[in-house]
Amino acid sequence: ELFPGEKSLPEQLGDGWRRAGYKVEMRETHNQHGQYSHVWRLIKGEQSLIVSLDFAFRGWHTLDACYTSAGWSVDAKEVARASSDDPWPRIECKMVNELGLSGYLWFSLFDEDGNPFVGDMAGPDINRRMNRNIFLFWQNEGNVIFPRTFQAQIFIESGSPLTDIQLQELRKLFLEIRDGIRKSSLPALEKLGDK
């Protein structure tokens, strides 16, 4: 209940985006998408954008792998920063699915103290992931080696590739949303730290 809710995102965002929906998704503890997701839908004209806070993970979470398991193929992926001294990079992915639709994904993680989390941005292979999520977790060593992490993401699907102007706008929107989600998560993170 302390994590961001529907009204944690303003009704109007960026250049004409409007909040149009919200839901909370709950899953099994070790689900690859995280146990919880707070999901907002934003609209602007004919476009629809998904914003999500997903948690909890241990260490780095390779979100694009979740999309590829849902039928998307990654065309391009890069680590990007707002500036050369930006301590909190983001991952940007351009994807396509079997219907020929384009998908664009931006995501970043922060840790249980609310600090930007970089970790192994290439993401662990399946053996390291299983080791991290099960063996070390049950031995309670995972807490020391891999901090609990939280992921902010935006995703948009489009019938045609987005223009450079649209991509620039969405990058800026992602940074605004990411910072807002992290800031509004701080009360919940402080409460988790008390336990």
Side-chain angles (χ1 to χ4, degrees), residues 32 56-65 77-79 88-93 106-111 116-125 128-129 132-133 145-152 178:
Q32 69 172 346
F57 302 102
R58 285 285 176 197
W60 183 254
H61 178 242
T62 308
L63 179 60
D64 50 299
K77 177 179 175 178
E78 69 174 304
V79 177
W88 198 10
R90 65 191 180 274
I91 302 291
E92 296 185 10
C93 295
W106 290 265
F107 68 98
S108 294
L109 281 80
F110 55 95
D111 68 18
F117 183 78
V118 178
D120 181 1
M121 295 182 84
D125 62 27
R128 283 183 52 216
R129 191 175 181 85
R132 173 178 69 188
N133 287 344
I145 298 170
F146 303 106
R148 192 171 10 195
T149 54
F150 305 81
Q151 173 182 272
R178 176 186 74 172

Side-chain angles (χ1 to χ4, degrees), residues 65-82:
C66 297
Y67 280 86
T68 56
S69 70
W72 290 93
S73 297
V74 176
D75 272 355
K77 177 179 175 178
E78 69 174 304
V79 177
R81 297 177 185 273

